[in-house]
Amino acid sequence: ARRGRMPASPDSPGTTVACATLSGGPDPVAFRFGLLADIQYTDVDDRCNHTGTQWRRYRNSLAVARNAIDYFNQSDLSFVLHNGDIIDHQCAFDFAKDEFKPKAEGLEQLGRVMRILSGSQCKDWMFTIGNHELYNFTAAELREGVTPEGCTLPFKCANDEGSFFFSRTPAPGWRVVVLNSYDVSIYSKGREQGLDVDALELLRKHNANVDKWVSDNPEVIQTERMSGTFPYFEGLEGLGNRWVPFNGGVGEEQLEWLKGQLSEAKANDERVIVFSHLLVHPETTANGSGRTLIWNYQDVLDAVEDERWGKNVAAVVSGHQHEGGLYTNDNGTHFVVMESPMLAEPGQPGPFCVVEASSGGLRMIGYGKGPNSKIFGAEEGEQYPPAEPMVKDLYLAPVEAKA
């Protein structure tokens, strides 16, 4: 990443960002949007995750959310997208007592986040479904929307038609596709609705640890007591690590819909940005572990990389893997994984960014979690935290027009 010599606002008067030249010629910005993922707030002390790989600053996520809203409010945005996991599982479940907490407690903690997000001047927000959404809310609540007291912005993961996967066209020549990567999930029905038996059977076939746990504890179908109760990854190898309870898959209907969307985009000479909480490309997973992939990632990847329209896909943007990630395939599609505010280092305003879409590329302007950020990392000798937003340009190759 290189630092932009610009005021805090990406489109402030006097900057050159609004007419960026990513491809060597005049390249006006088609639209801008705000982006963040995995706020995952809960009112608990800082601590390591279960595997000891992350130091999570849960309460600081609210400070990052406030910074994000202040930053977003300096730009004219077409929409803002939060890419899953808005509050933590601990808002719903008391792991020490091994029981669900009153729903009012989770609603209050959601309210602390949503009251901050309600300060956004852009009122067009999209929220993708992550595993923590399903720990805290029923599918019906996520579909209809939850609006805590004092909030003007509802927390809703479906579109107006009630679908968790949908598309829209924010500007001529562009299409945004939102996926539900928990379409097939043991938690697909949501909090206290019981585990999805078909998804559980699928998971048991691929993970002997899950199979043994369910065999020994058949009541988990009702209690949903799966998280943190047994060693998920023991004996799993390579990309087989994706077969764990906190991941999920894309169903056949949604997969066919995705192919249809990409085909239409090709026919209409549109660039596409795909959003999914879970990761789609193995190269973006931490150390290639595969632990954060969609169960049937290859089906989704085959659709995205299909030779008929693969070059029209500008980016696939995920969350879930808090450390972030970035990879570009041979088609020039950028697989971006946003970092979590929980991992923001002291004094660091982000991670969050404004993305400017133009025919020449996607320009990400914002902040990472720290100097080792996968997207907004510091160069040797560079000041960190930065005094100004940083810039990451994701270049796009020209797309062949339809015959």
Side-chain angles (χ1 to χ4, degrees):
R2 61 183 176 81
R3 188 174 310 155
R5 302 299 302 176
M6 61 186 73
S9 170
D11 57 352
S12 294
T15 72
T16 59
V17 175
C19 52
T21 54
L22 295 179
S23 58
D27 191 23
V29 172
F31 67 100
R32 296 178 177 85
F33 64 92
L35 180 62
L36 71 166
D38 296 86
I39 292 175
Q40 208 168 315
Y41 168 73
T42 187
D43 186 16
V44 301
D45 293 338
D46 299 352
R47 65 180 65 167
C48 272
N49 62 342
H50 290 303
T51 56
T53 59
Q54 300 171 4
W55 184 253
R56 296 180 172 182
R57 305 176 68 219
Y58 291 104
R59 294 190 182 104
N60 189 60
S61 284
L62 291 185
V64 175
R66 289 190 193 94
N67 293 339
I69 295 305
D70 289 344
Y71 184 61
F72 294 160
N73 284 348
Q74 298 176 58
S75 295
D76 182 12
L77 304 178
S78 296
F79 62 88
V80 181
L81 186 134
H82 180 270
N83 214 355
D85 288 359
I86 196 159
I87 58 174
D88 191 79
H89 195 174
Q90 296 169 87
C91 297
F93 201 85
D94 188 325
F95 288 89
K97 296 181 179 179
D98 197 28
E99 64 185 21
F100 278 98
K101 297 178 179 178
K103 288 202 75 169
E105 186 165 335
L107 191 62
E108 165 56 26
Q109 297 200 51
L110 175 68
R112 296 177 194 175
V113 180
M114 295 306 296
R115 282 188 284 274
I116 293 171
L117 303 191
S118 291
S120 171
Q121 291 178 9
C122 177
K123 301 303 181 184
D124 190 352
W125 278 68
M126 291 183 279
F127 298 93
T128 64
I129 288 184
N131 48 312
H132 289 265
E133 273 73 21
L134 295 168
Y135 300 148
N136 280 280
F137 306 100
T138 67
E141 288 169 331
L142 296 173
R143 180 173 289 109
E144 296 163 9
V146 179
T147 306
E149 184 178 353
C151 302
T152 57
L153 182 69
F155 178 64
K156 182 179 178 181
C157 295
N159 66 357
D160 291 341
E161 286 70 48
S163 178
F164 293 131
F165 57 91
F166 52 89
S167 70
R168 58 199 302 185
T169 52
W174 287 87
R175 182 176 301 221
V176 166
V177 172
V178 174
L179 298 182
N180 173 16
S181 53
Y182 289 87
D183 194 10
V184 180
S185 163
I186 64 172
Y187 300 114
S188 62
K189 294 184 285 187
R191 173 181 168 150
E192 294 184 276
Q193 303 301 300
L195 300 182
D196 184 282
V197 175
D198 292 338
L200 184 60
E201 286 306 305
L202 176 64
L203 183 58
R204 291 178 73 175
K205 290 177 182 177
H206 291 90
N207 189 322
N209 308 304
V210 174
D211 187 46
K212 183 178 187 306
W213 176 256
V214 176
S215 295
D216 294 345
N217 304 274
E219 71 280 2
V220 298
I221 294 174
Q222 285 75 43
T223 66
E224 304 171 18
R225 189 67 177 92
M226 295 282 283
S227 183
T229 49
F230 59 93
Y232 292 168
F233 298 103
E234 188 174 297
L236 299 182
E237 296 181 357
L239 300 184
N241 280 290
R242 70 188 185 278
W243 291 103
V244 290
F246 57 68
N247 293 335
V250 171
E252 193 61 38
E253 178 187 350
Q254 184 180 180
L255 193 62
E256 290 306 309
W257 172 86
L258 172 61
K259 294 174 186 176
Q261 288 291 313
L262 297 176
S263 177
E264 285 181 19
K266 173 66 176 178
N268 294 337
D269 293 332
E270 294 172 337
R271 300 271 196 183
V272 183
I273 303 175
V274 179
F275 294 101
S276 163
H277 179 67
L278 286 173
L279 279 61
V280 173
H281 205 295
E283 291 292 336
T284 56
T285 64
N287 301 314
S289 68
R291 289 188 174 195
T292 45
L293 281 174
I294 292 176
W295 283 347
N296 61 329
Y297 79 92
Q298 192 63 60
D299 292 337
V300 180
L301 192 58
D302 286 347
V304 167
E305 296 186 332
D306 190 296
E307 63 181 6
R308 291 170 290 179
W309 52 66
K311 291 184 178 179
N312 287 71
V313 182
V316 178
V317 183
S318 300
H320 197 50
Q321 180 172 274
H322 301 151
E323 302 93 334
L326 182 61
Y327 174 77
T328 304
N329 70 5
D330 291 342
N331 285 333
T333 300
H334 303 284
F335 293 81
V336 180
V337 184
M338 286 297 290
E339 298 156 354
S340 169
M342 288 189 299
L343 270 56
E345 298 179 15
Q348 179 64 14
F352 52 79
C353 66
V354 166
V355 181
E356 298 185 333
S358 65
S359 61
L362 300 174
R363 171 165 283 190
M364 304 177 70
I365 311 168
Y367 301 93
K369 65 182 177 63
N372 63 343
S373 167
K374 300 286 197 307
I375 300 170
F376 297 110
E379 297 175 4
E380 187 174 352
E382 198 169 35
Q383 173 189 343
Y384 221 90
E388 303 160 342
M390 303 185 79
V391 176
K392 182 69 174 182
D393 283 331
L394 305 177
Y395 296 93
L396 298 177
V399 173
E400 296 178 6
K402 64 180 183 293

